[in-house]
Amino acid sequence: MAVVLALGAGIAQADPHPWQLNLTRGVTTWSGEPYFLNNVAFGVCVVIGVLVFGAMFIAMFRFRKSRGAVPEKWSHNTTVEIVWTTIPVIILMVLAYLATGGLVSFANTTGAQMTVKVTGYQWKWRYDYVDYLGKPISKVGFMSKLDALSDKTRQLGSGLDPYAVKTGNENTYLLNVDKPLVLPIHTKIRFVITSDDVIHSWFVPAFGWKMDAIPGIVNTAWTNINVPGTYRGQCAELCGQDHGFMPIVVKAVSRADFAKWLAKQEQASAPAPAAPPAAASSAAAPAAAASAPGGNG
Amino acid sequence: MAHEATHDHHDHHHAPQGFFQRWVMSTNHKDIGTLYLIFSLTMFFIGGSFAMVIRAELFKPGLQLVQPSFFNEMTTMHALVMIFGAIMPAFVGLGNWMIPLMIGAPDMALPRMNNLSFWILPFAFTLMLSTLFLPGGGPAGGWTMYPPLSLQSDSLAYVVFAIHLMGISSIMGAINIIATILNMRAPGMDLLKMPVFVWSWLITAFLLIAVMPVLAGAVTMLRCWPAR
């Protein structure tokens, strides 16, 4: 029963919908953390707002001059000062404690069962599968760029209707790619995120975090997806003219389906030495092949 | 007629001024303040027109008006023009107009430097806005010009130099305001009797002197980033 509810909630909240007022809860084991922290901070703000603006309203309405209000003579009250210093300190300490807990659990990538390397390029993403369940993966990696229909529609003066770019019932204008990142559910996945040119940021809202992809620096983050589905995101750091046109699509599948998919990819990438594409590229541009990042997984 | 006579009598040692002398060579704090305010309003409309390009393009999904690279140029230019061209000169203009009046000084402490610190600005902004007409276009590195993206703009050197000029102008304006407030107050106008506007400008001027060299150093170092 709980599983069914969780599944339903996860699918319903994966994408924002009209009149949605709060953030999405996300679909991973960790994504509830920022959701919870935001709700706590928002609750504190609402209570403070009601008290402060309420006090102001009462002061201005009930004690206005036209009602004959006479100012009190005293100007200092030590008890009040102690109270309104102590309460904010307690609130801040509670918020800092909760937020630190969230950051620590966010940064803890130990015990990951899988590693995926994410590289930002102007203006596409590259995904390299490094290892899965303790076994290194060789030569499974690909570029993931904006799908052809979105790309055609987004050209200046294309005359095409962005609302007509759909995947099933979902409008996926600028939110779909040619090759999505396929990931297994119920697996702790470590991402190592970097960039080849300028700063990008890898952001899938359903995971509850984003991580900058910085050239020369490798950042890490992790996720453990609970609900199978397709999760969409975008580059979240201005990276040049096509910054808005390098979306992220994650397809989360069951572990069995993922194992099948992975086997197929490994098979496709390790053919006989005379495979035409590999031979052509290495003969034409040995330097390019040598410098291609993640070329050998 | 009577007013004219009094005026002549009062200013008998001044030769009549032409438009050029009156506005370009002025050392009068009110005239320079007016120039600052007019400049600020002009830049407000230019920066505003950039924002209108951004909003017109975002009016509906899809691309209707401009290429993405030009859109990014508009974002960067809007920010630089609004901050350095509209907000800061507006405050300096009000300061020039109001501070001598509020503290009972006849003029700013350094009137010629006051003229120079204004007249740097039109040149700085001509330089910066001209990048929009250069091959490769204006800077398109987000409004903070962070590297390495900003290094991909061919016009970065122009913008860095323009920001140096704006910084020099701001520093001279700040020195002038500090010198005026600390040295030119009327008898009886001690620091704790100063209006809060004058106080806020005194603090702001010190902050500007502290911050502008750091900004200049930071934008200069953009040019030292290893090119890719």
Side-chain angles (χ1 to χ4, degrees):
Chain A
M1 186 60 191
V3 174
V4 172
L5 276 178
L7 280 175
I11 288 162
Q13 295 185 352
D15 287 316
H17 55 83
W19 289 100
Q20 174 183 331
L21 292 179
N22 205 347
L23 306 176
T24 54
R25 157 92 187 49
V27 295
T28 71
T29 50
W30 187 80
S31 65
E33 191 82 7
Y35 180 76
F36 166 74
L37 288 172
N38 180 69
N39 284 351
V40 170
F42 183 67
V44 168
C45 290
V46 168
V47 171
I48 291 175
V50 167
L51 291 178
V52 169
F53 291 117
M56 281 170 66
F57 178 78
I58 290 169
M60 286 186 276
F61 186 77
R62 280 189 48 198
F63 300 100
R64 63 187 192 268
K65 199 178 173 187
S66 62
R67 280 202 164 188
V70 182
E72 295 285 347
K73 292 280 186 280
W74 56 271
S75 68
H76 190 85
N77 186 320
T78 310
T79 317
V80 167
E81 296 235 1
I82 289 171
V83 167
W84 73 33
T85 307
T86 313
I87 291 177
V89 167
I90 292 171
I91 293 172
L92 288 179
M93 274 166 30
V94 169
L95 288 179
Y97 176 78
L98 293 174
T100 307
L103 278 179
V104 168
S105 61
F106 168 70
N108 182 10
T109 63
T110 53
Q113 299 156 288
M114 179 180 178
T115 306
V116 176
K117 180 181 163 205
V118 178
T119 315
Y121 288 85
Q122 283 177 319
W123 290 275
K124 50 189 175 278
W125 295 98
R126 183 181 173 85
Y127 302 113
D128 289 292
Y129 293 75
V130 180
D131 61 47
Y132 179 53
L133 300 179
K135 282 191 299 252
I137 303 170
S138 73
K139 294 185 181 169
V140 177
F142 50 85
M143 289 286 183
S144 177
K145 63 176 200 298
L146 186 66
D147 72 302
L149 183 55
S150 285
D151 195 43
K152 220 166 112 186
T153 308
R154 66 107 178 170
Q155 299 301 325
L156 181 59
S158 71
L160 296 170
D161 181 13
Y163 292 106
V165 182
K166 286 192 163 187
T167 307
N169 264 337
E170 194 188 359
N171 189 313
T172 53
Y173 176 59
L174 303 184
L175 287 174
N176 204 7
V177 295
D178 54 352
K179 287 189 82 173
L181 174 67
V182 180
L183 295 176
I185 59 167
H186 301 312
T187 306
K188 183 166 181 177
I189 304 161
R190 177 198 290 121
F191 293 97
V192 288
I193 301 175
T194 187
S195 167
D196 185 60
D197 33 52
V198 301
I199 305 174
H200 303 268
S201 186
W202 202 78
F203 181 31
V204 177
F207 290 179
W209 51 263
K210 60 180 169 180
M211 183 54 86
D212 276 8
I214 301 173
I217 290 177
V218 177
N219 285 327
T220 57
W222 67 274
T223 194
N224 191 340
I225 307 167
N226 286 329
V227 190
T230 304
Y231 306 113
R232 300 172 193 281
Q234 285 163 308
C235 179
E237 185 75 51
L238 179 66
C239 59
Q241 61 171 16
D242 289 353
H243 162 62
F245 312 114
M246 48 181 291
I248 296 152
V249 179
V250 175
K251 221 174 119 188
V253 297
S254 69
R255 290 175 79 149
D257 286 350
F258 179 75
K260 267 186 261 171
W261 179 86
L262 188 64
K264 225 165 98 183
Q265 299 294 311
E266 282 182 309
Q267 221 168 35
S269 66
S281 70
S282 59
S291 71
N296 43 14
Chain B
M1 201 63 196
H3 172 78
E4 201 72 353
T6 345
H7 185 80
D8 278 345
H9 176 72
H10 182 72
D11 272 342
H12 58 88
H13 53 284
H14 281 195
Q17 291 179 322
F19 181 85
F20 182 80
Q21 253 193 328
R22 159 84 194 272
W23 290 108
V24 180
M25 298 167 68
S26 175
T27 52
N28 178 321
H29 74 97
K30 291 182 188 169
D31 284 352
I32 294 173
T34 304
L35 286 173
Y36 264 113
L37 291 173
I38 291 171
F39 179 82
S40 162
L41 188 65
T42 313
M43 285 300 142
F44 179 76
F45 285 131
I46 292 176
S49 70
F50 296 163
M52 303 262 273
V53 171
I54 294 171
R55 284 295 143 191
E57 178 54 67
L58 294 177
F59 188 61
K60 62 178 201 176
L63 270 65
Q64 287 83 35
L65 301 173
V66 298
Q67 291 290 355
S69 52
F70 188 73
F71 183 94
N72 289 349
E73 287 169 32
M74 289 290 101
T75 316
T76 305
M77 288 300 241
H78 167 75
L80 293 174
V81 166
M82 281 299 191
I83 289 173
F84 290 101
I87 297 173
M88 287 171 55
F91 271 101
V92 181
L94 288 172
N96 256 307
W97 248 101
M98 303 305 296
I99 288 171
L101 300 181
M102 284 179 157
I103 62 172
D107 201 321
M108 297 295 277
L110 308 156
R112 290 173 193 233
M113 196 166 85
N114 204 10
N115 177 295
L116 180 59
S117 62
F118 170 76
W119 279 106
I120 286 175
L121 283 181
F123 292 95
F125 277 89
T126 307
L127 186 67
M128 198 173 84
L129 292 171
S130 72
T131 61
L132 286 174
F133 302 98
L134 293 179
W143 79 273
T144 52
M145 298 195 301
Y146 61 87
L149 177 62
S150 60
L151 310 184
Q152 295 181 341
S153 296
D154 294 336
S155 51
L156 183 67
Y158 287 77
V159 178
V160 167
F161 189 50
I163 287 174
H164 281 161
L165 289 175
M166 295 164 203
I168 292 169
S169 163
S170 287
I171 286 179
M172 292 201 303
I175 290 172
N176 209 345
I177 282 165
I178 292 172
T180 308
I181 294 175
L182 295 186
N183 294 316
M184 307 260 293
R185 295 192 309 280
M189 172 60 78
D190 59 46
L191 284 176
L192 292 181
K193 282 181 187 157
M194 279 195 326
V196 74
F197 175 78
V198 182
W199 256 114
S200 70
W201 245 120
L202 185 61
I203 308 289
T204 308
F206 273 108
L207 293 180
L208 274 176
I209 288 180
V211 156
M212 277 301 161
V214 180
L215 179 69
V219 292
T220 308
M221 279 187 275
L222 284 181
R223 301 302 302 149
C224 305
W225 198 279
R228 282 182 66 92

